Amino acid sequence: MSRVASMTRRLTIALTSVVAIFWFVALGLGVYVMQDEFTEIFDSGVQETAERLLQIVVDDIARDRADGTPAVGLVAPALNSQYLAYQVRDRSGRVLFEDGAPEPFAVPLEVGFSETATQRIYTAGTADGSLFVQVADAFEHRTEALFEGGTALLLPLLALIPTSIIAIILVARRALAPVERLREEILTKDSGNMAPLDEAALPKELRAIARSVNLLLTRLKAALDAEREFTSNSAHELRTPIAGALAQTQRLASEVPPAFRQRTSQIERALLHLGRLAEKLLQMSRAEAGIAISDENTDLLPVLALVLEDMERSALGASRLKVHVAEGAELVRPIPPDAFAIVLRNLLENALIHSPSGSPVRIDVDTQGVRVTNDSVVIDADTLNGLTKRFNRGPTEASGSGLGLAIVQRLVEQMHGRLLIASPAPGMDRGFHVEVRL
């Protein structure tokens, strides 16, 4: 599965990469300039050393000729032999004096710079070409100086990159905080919350997005209101004529000859189904209107008892409901009683209708919520996952509208609860189990 791209991550990578590239380019240019400057400085030092040595050697030789003092005693104090080596040579190339370089340098006796594989050498000579002083500087010294200078530039850069990453992340998160708030506010919008977004609290770059979302919410709210009103009105208006038609059909069934009673029974069953469908549509309309949202706490156990008593009186639930309430259980929640009653009634009707006739239906109640279990056949996982969709009834011959669990799912979401469905029931090899965690 591909990783979802993050704006903060993209900004951090992009800005850090740009900063790092510029710094590395600057480092490269700095090293290049340092190399050029170091070459100039080292060459100047070597040349100046060679020329001064030549002057000293010439003076010493002249003094030796005047008073007989050996010239070698004057030349013996060596320069910094750790970095520089020198030779004094005659016109034939013979080494007269040296410091750290007994073998003649493999460069011509010409005034100016020359190079070997390991050294850069400057040759200074007298005007008549009788004496030459050659001073050599090893390339490794120059490389070492350049390496140390480049390292001095690189180390702050290595510390700057992670520091830049942290700084960019903090700045990017702070700058993108309004985007995150807008995203979270949009996520709260559903059919129960169509309030417009607050454009004034957003930066001007995001106000156009908020304005578009508000326009969409307005249109969506109008469409949902129209749909709910139509469903509610249709279901409500159908109840009276359906009840009237059912009463007339039942009266007609008692008056017609026995040969026609099968047809009247079919009409009666169809009208009963139509009446239940109208009732479910009305419940769905109420669920879509957000009736399960409340700020006041309600004790739901009396509501549970009332619904169970009502179901016990019906022909469908008589002597079939087995209730177990955990000791000390409390169900005090910010849930309207009528919404909770609709959830319970739909769960119980579903469990009673879709289980063998006369089989018990168990209701367990504790502080976490309500669990309803029947003795139906096992339902496969694919069918189980689709039972909360509208008009999805699964493989059953029992009567029903396919809306019961869809209504329960919608109301439980508004209650900020969870609807858990399992088949077979926990601890059984068959059955259907529904749990509402409040």
Side-chain angles (χ1 to χ4, degrees):
M1 183 177 178
S2 61
R3 186 176 180 180
V4 179
S6 166
M7 293 177 65
T8 302
R9 184 168 175 265
R10 286 182 175 179
L11 283 173
T12 302
I13 293 175
L15 293 178
T16 304
S17 300
V18 170
V19 171
I21 289 172
F22 272 108
W23 269 92
F24 280 115
V25 170
L27 175 63
L29 292 175
V31 171
Y32 176 78
V33 171
M34 281 194 301
Q35 182 181 20
D36 188 61
E37 292 298 322
F38 284 175
T39 299
E40 184 177 343
I41 292 171
F42 278 104
D43 285 353
S44 176
V46 171
Q47 181 178 352
E48 185 177 350
T49 301
E51 290 173 348
R52 292 193 177 187
L53 264 177
L54 177 63
Q55 184 178 0
I56 293 173
V57 170
V58 171
D59 289 345
D60 287 345
I61 292 175
R63 191 181 302 113
D64 183 34
R65 290 173 181 171
D67 57 14
T69 305
V72 68
L74 297 173
V75 183
L79 297 176
N80 188 356
S81 59
Q82 184 180 359
Y83 289 97
L84 298 176
Y86 73 88
Q87 293 178 349
V88 180
R89 302 169 66 179
D90 59 16
R91 69 174 70 245
S92 65
R94 184 167 57 94
V95 178
L96 302 179
F97 310 112
E98 53 83 18
D99 178 27
E103 296 296 329
F105 295 132
V107 295
L109 292 175
E110 298 177 354
V111 176
F113 284 99
S114 304
E115 292 183 1
T116 66
T118 59
Q119 295 173 316
R120 185 166 174 82
I121 303 169
Y122 183 80
T123 303
T126 59
D128 60 359
S130 59
L131 285 176
F132 294 92
V133 175
Q134 292 181 317
V135 179
D137 179 28
F139 285 134
E140 63 178 333
H141 300 149
R142 302 184 179 206
T143 303
E144 181 182 0
L146 184 63
F147 175 77
E148 291 177 354
T151 303
L153 292 176
L154 179 62
L155 290 179
L157 175 60
L158 296 179
L160 175 67
I161 290 177
T163 305
S164 299
I165 292 175
I166 295 173
I168 291 171
I169 290 175
L170 294 176
V171 173
R173 285 182 176 175
R174 184 171 181 178
L176 295 176
V179 179
E180 182 66 19
R181 289 196 298 269
L182 177 62
R183 183 187 71 87
E184 292 177 355
E185 191 172 354
I186 291 175
L187 286 176
T188 64
K189 304 303 176 184
D190 55 19
S191 59
N193 179 14
M194 290 289 180
L197 304 174
D198 184 10
E199 299 179 25
L202 296 173
K204 63 179 182 180
E205 293 84 357
L206 298 178
R207 290 184 181 180
I209 299 176
R211 194 175 300 113
S212 299
V213 172
N214 286 338
L215 181 61
L216 178 62
L217 288 174
T218 301
R219 294 178 178 177
L220 184 59
K221 184 175 184 300
L224 289 175
D225 288 344
E227 178 186 357
R228 291 168 183 167
E229 185 177 359
F230 173 77
T231 305
S232 178
N233 290 339
S234 298
H236 181 75
E237 294 298 329
L238 282 173
R239 294 173 70 182
T240 301
I242 290 174
L246 181 60
Q248 294 295 328
T249 301
Q250 291 172 342
R251 182 176 178 180
L252 181 63
S254 63
E255 297 176 352
V256 298
F260 296 99
R261 288 179 182 174
Q262 182 178 359
R263 293 184 180 181
T264 55
S265 297
Q266 292 176 351
I267 297 173
E268 183 179 2
R269 286 195 298 271
L271 290 173
L272 287 172
H273 174 72
L274 186 58
R276 286 193 296 268
L277 179 59
E279 184 66 28
K280 296 301 180 185
L281 289 174
L282 187 58
Q283 291 180 1
M284 177 62 75
S285 175
R286 298 184 65 195
E288 292 293 340
I291 64 167
I293 301 173
S294 175
D295 295 328
E296 298 182 2
N297 284 331
T298 302
D299 186 0
L300 302 178
L301 287 180
V303 180
L304 173 68
L306 185 63
V307 173
L308 290 173
E309 181 182 355
D310 186 50
M311 293 299 297
E312 282 281 2
R313 291 176 179 175
S314 66
L316 183 63
S319 303
R320 294 181 60 187
L321 301 179
K322 309 300 179 183
V323 184
H324 177 262
V325 179
E327 184 177 355
E330 293 183 356
L331 280 180
V332 179
R333 300 289 193 277
I335 298 173
D338 55 343
F340 185 65
I342 291 175
V343 169
L344 283 178
R345 181 172 289 277
N346 277 282
L347 290 179
L348 295 176
E349 287 179 353
N350 187 75
L352 291 167
I353 291 173
H354 299 287
S355 60
S357 178
S359 63
V361 171
R362 182 176 177 84
I363 300 97
D364 295 285
V365 184
D366 57 24
T367 305
Q368 298 298 320
V370 180
R371 296 181 298 276
V372 178
T373 306
N374 69 0
D375 193 32
S376 69
V377 297
V378 175
I379 302 174
D380 63 87
D382 292 337
T383 303
L384 204 64
N385 293 332
L387 288 181
T388 56
K389 297 179 180 179
R390 299 182 185 184
F391 301 105
N392 190 341
R393 303 184 59 240
T396 178
E397 298 297 329
S399 61
S401 61
L403 290 173
L405 288 179
I407 294 170
V408 171
Q409 174 73 26
R410 188 71 185 95
L411 291 174
V412 171
E413 287 177 355
Q414 294 174 21
M415 298 172 186
H416 302 291
R418 293 179 61 192
L419 178 65
L420 305 176
I421 301 175
S423 182
M428 300 171 57
D429 58 358
R430 57 184 288 120
F432 183 79
H433 176 83
V434 180
E435 180 177 357
V436 176
R437 290 185 182 178
L438 301 176

